[in-house]
Amino acid sequence: MALADSLYLDPSIRDWVLFPITLVMILIGLLRHYVTLLLNTPPKKQPAGTVKEQRALLRSQLLRQSATLSPLPPTLYNSLSNTLYQQLSTGALVSAPVEKKPTEGPVNPLADPAQMEGMMDGMKKQAVMMIPNMVVMQWINVFFSGFVLIKLPFPLTYGFKPMLQRDIATPDMPVHYVSALSWYFLTLFGLNGILKLLLPAPEESLPDSTRDMGAVHALGGAQQGMPMGMGAAADAGKVHKAEAENLALAEGMYTWAGEGVEERVLALWGSSEVGR
């Protein structure tokens, strides 16, 4: 308690350490967003057969997900459901797989230009995330190591001490004081909401630190440009048959959203007589 009462935070720390670190992290988030947009390669054109397969699955999924409260009347819903079921169950929309030349020994994925390009895109995006973070962390370690920036206005348990006081070796300091390095990590993971307000863009193109920190982000770029026919041409028929079974099950849960709409409208407006 004596240490908590005697600890005084200089306002200069707020002006020359807290605000600069926060501003730098916001600017890095904006820069990383625009650099990522520049590194994104336009999607490659897919074969017409692959597009038909994907669109058929998408139509079936939309029809199946809206079955419990469907805006389509029963005749139209049954017609669409039966047509899609016949196409998916018989495999009428499955395109013929491209025949590959026989090769001796296991296929080297690094020899495929498409996979190499996807892997390079993932590595570039990961470097855009890693390099600025390493530079900022080194900057904070050199110039602001051991600084106490803010005092949280609420008490915390002792388990938060390693997270809020990373570079301060003071076991008697209260938990609700935040060091400079810990503030860096808090802003790294907590500025996504502010960046979404500053960047009115689609959700998938916005910067997300929690998503970028994973190694899956590096592998996601390798799979982003791959059409469906490359990796799953042989299994497209099985996928369509499974979707046909799910569509048939969803047909039993179908309910029309316009069922009894006249009675509901009359009850809403307080009328009990219907002129005929």
Side-chain angles (χ1 to χ4, degrees), residues 91-109:
L93 300 178
V94 178
S95 60
V98 180
E99 296 183 359
K100 297 183 179 180
K101 297 181 180 180
T103 56
E104 297 180 358
V107 179
N108 185 9

Side-chain angles (χ1 to χ4, degrees), residues 236-254:
K238 297 180 180 179
V239 174
H240 279 210
K241 290 182 180 180
E243 182 62 28
E245 296 177 359
N246 295 332
L247 187 62
L249 293 176
E251 189 173 355
M253 300 182 293
Y254 167 77

Side-chain angles (χ1 to χ4, degrees), residues 16 35 39 53 67 109 131 151 171 192 268 273-274:
W16 296 100
V35 172
L39 293 177
E53 294 176 3
I131 295 176
K151 174 184 177 183
N192 295 327
L268 179 64
E273 295 182 358
V274 180

